[in-house]
Amino acid sequence: MQMITNWWDSFLEKDLRFQVVIAFSVILLIVSIALFIIVLRLRARKSRADRKASELIDQIEPIILSLIYEEEDEVDWDHEIVNLRNILTFSMYEFHSYARLSDYLIQLHKQLEGDSAKKIERIYRDLEMPPMTLKLLKDGKWHHKVKAISALSEFRIKNYLFEVIQYMDHPQRLVRDEAQFGAIVLGGKRATGSIVKLNYEMSKWQQLRLIEQCAQLDDEIKSDVLSWMNSQNESLIELALRMCIRMGWYEAIENIPRFISHKREEIRLLSVEAIGELGSADLISELLHRFEVESRKVQIRTLMAIGELDADGRASDFLRGQIMYADYEVALAAAHALYETTSDDEMREFSARLEEDRVVLIEQVLYGAV
């Protein structure tokens, strides 16, 4: 005790700056020790929860697999479901256990088809998982919401469509992406009518996901998709153009030409592609009107569209001029377009009038065609 008192008196006699440095050092040491202890406790808690969740899956997996693979007359479905409920009621007191069970059922459902998949859906419902998933959707953090929406769409819980639609324009991107996809899965046409109201931009990957799902609905959603072209959300215009190209909806051609002068390059690219896929030769003049002021990407796409549309060869002189004087990439695209509208002999005849470096373009196109 005397030693501590002497040390303290010696400390008080030191310079003030020394006292401040020592005091901060001691505080930092105490805080570091406290944080280290907290981290250890959190890791131990997580490890304990993961272990309990794994033990739960090991316990219920044989029962679930027997329900899936055994014939219904060989297993007492109601008794086994009650057994599962009892196990879950006793064990599933932490989110880790519920999440692990949900992930396990989702994984099984994605791997199986037919009657086996239907049995998993029945197990999911009989275990009263949907209400728990809905609670997680409403009260959970954003990453919990993503998992909840994914589970609801995977198991086709259609009576929760309204709740999923509420998150289609969520500030967190992953939440709204999953909600948009899940809403289409659960509601079909009932959900596509809500997409036009979205404010946040969609990524290209999300657009492709929605296109693949919407394509299954066929012409049923055509009117909704066409209405997306009037949206203030430019990514919805992109989505509508991609969808019309994918589905071959010629009715869209009345609205598409107004987008070839859009400020967004991606929309101009898609509109030119759509004209090439869905339009007629009458629209070639619209494409040529914008050609000189466009970026190289749009110019190349324009030449591809002309190759698709110009069955009568009305743009042949323009294409020959591009082959002779344009940059190499643009000239090559023009050569491909010209080949689509003329014969091999005419291509070789034109090649004879070109400079040597441009003859290579014609040869490349002819060789590629062979």
Side-chain angles (χ1 to χ4, degrees):
M1 187 66 181
Q2 182 65 34
M3 184 179 66
I4 296 175
T5 303
N6 292 337
W7 181 86
W8 179 251
D9 292 338
S10 175
F11 175 74
L12 294 178
E13 291 174 359
K14 300 291 184 179
D15 183 72
L16 178 61
R17 288 174 295 180
F18 177 82
Q19 294 176 356
V20 171
V21 170
I22 294 299
F24 271 114
S25 299
V26 172
I27 292 172
L28 288 175
L29 178 61
I30 294 172
V31 171
S32 299
I33 293 173
L35 290 176
F36 182 72
I37 293 172
I38 292 172
V39 169
L40 286 179
R41 294 190 64 179
L42 288 175
R43 290 186 62 182
R45 180 180 177 184
K46 186 178 184 302
S47 297
R48 184 173 64 254
D50 287 340
R51 186 181 70 255
K52 288 183 176 294
S54 297
E55 292 173 353
L56 172 63
I57 296 300
D58 292 340
Q59 185 178 5
I60 67 176
E61 184 175 39
I63 303 175
I64 292 176
L65 293 180
S66 68
L67 290 173
I68 295 173
Y69 293 113
E70 293 185 13
E71 297 295 334
E72 292 194 19
D73 56 355
E74 297 177 358
V75 62
D76 188 343
W77 183 281
D78 293 336
H79 178 268
E80 296 297 346
I81 290 295
V82 170
N83 189 20
L84 282 174
R85 284 181 182 173
N86 291 335
I87 296 173
L88 296 177
T89 301
F90 178 75
S91 303
M92 203 164 62
Y93 58 90
E94 292 191 30
F95 170 73
H96 295 274
S97 299
Y98 162 75
R100 186 67 63 86
L101 174 60
S102 180
D103 291 345
Y104 174 73
L105 292 175
I106 289 174
Q107 183 180 7
L108 276 179
H109 191 262
K110 289 181 177 179
Q111 294 174 349
L112 301 175
E113 296 179 351
D115 292 339
S116 296
K118 292 180 180 178
K119 286 183 179 180
I120 298 173
E121 294 173 8
R122 183 180 172 187
I123 291 172
Y124 187 81
R125 289 180 170 86
D126 288 351
L127 291 179
E128 298 181 354
M129 296 285 284
M132 296 184 64
T133 305
L134 181 62
K135 186 176 186 303
L136 183 65
L137 174 61
K138 292 182 176 181
D139 302 334
K141 298 179 181 179
W142 71 265
H143 52 280
H144 294 161
K145 296 181 187 296
V146 174
K147 293 179 72 69
I149 295 171
S150 177
L152 292 174
S153 61
E154 180 67 27
F155 291 107
R156 303 294 197 274
I157 312 299
K158 296 184 178 182
N159 53 314
Y160 290 155
L161 171 63
F162 177 78
E163 284 77 7
V164 172
I165 286 178
Q166 306 307 307
Y167 296 91
M168 288 177 64
D169 215 18
H170 193 276
Q172 181 58 241
R173 183 180 65 83
L174 291 179
V175 176
R176 64 175 179 267
D177 282 359
E178 202 61 42
Q180 291 161 11
F181 182 79
I184 300 299
V185 171
L186 299 177
K189 180 172 175 56
R190 289 185 295 167
T192 56
S194 301
I195 289 182
V196 73
K197 303 174 184 177
L198 301 182
N199 296 309
Y200 288 98
E201 183 167 338
M202 289 182 184
S203 66
K204 290 183 180 179
W205 170 245
Q206 174 67 0
Q207 291 180 39
L208 293 176
R209 289 180 74 203
L210 294 180
I211 288 172
E212 290 302 317
Q213 190 61 40
C214 288
Q216 300 178 25
L217 302 174
D218 204 21
D219 290 353
E220 179 184 357
I221 60 168
K222 185 188 298 184
S223 59
D224 290 332
V225 173
L226 294 179
S227 71
W228 299 346
M229 291 185 179
N230 298 318
S231 173
Q232 297 298 315
N233 187 337
E234 293 178 349
S235 64
L236 278 184
I237 299 175
E238 290 182 26
L239 176 59
L241 290 170
R242 287 191 169 96
M243 190 68 189
C244 290
I245 294 171
R246 166 68 182 275
M247 302 302 294
W249 288 335
Y250 292 96
E251 296 88 342
I253 202 62
E254 295 182 6
N255 295 320
I256 290 174
R258 62 189 170 103
F259 295 118
I260 62 175
S261 59
H262 197 277
K263 62 181 181 180
R264 189 162 176 159
E265 184 185 56
E266 187 66 25
I267 291 179
R268 300 200 305 275
L269 282 167
L270 288 169
S271 63
V272 170
E273 181 182 355
I275 288 175
E277 294 288 336
L278 308 174
S280 64
D282 295 336
L283 293 173
I284 292 178
S285 60
E286 297 275 355
L287 298 177
L288 295 179
H289 179 72
R290 290 278 310 175
F291 187 84
E292 294 300 332
V293 299
E294 277 296 354
S295 65
R296 180 174 297 180
K297 283 184 179 181
V298 180
Q299 286 181 339
I300 292 174
R301 187 68 63 83
T302 298
L303 292 170
M304 293 170 60
I306 291 174
E308 294 288 334
L309 299 174
D310 193 19
D312 299 331
R314 64 178 67 180
S316 296
D317 291 340
F318 168 77
L319 295 176
R320 292 189 180 96
Q322 294 302 312
I323 295 171
M324 295 172 65
Y325 304 113
D327 293 340
Y328 188 85
E329 289 184 65
V330 176
L332 180 59
H336 279 286
L338 182 63
Y339 179 76
E340 296 293 331
T341 63
T342 189
S343 65
D344 290 6
D345 292 338
E346 290 176 327
M347 291 286 287
R348 292 190 178 92
E349 181 183 345
F350 173 62
S351 174
R353 305 198 304 267
L354 295 176
E355 300 290 336
E356 184 176 351
D357 62 329
R358 299 290 163 155
V359 173
V360 176
L361 298 176
I362 304 298
E363 292 178 349
Q364 183 175 345
V365 171
L366 294 174
Y367 177 79
V370 174

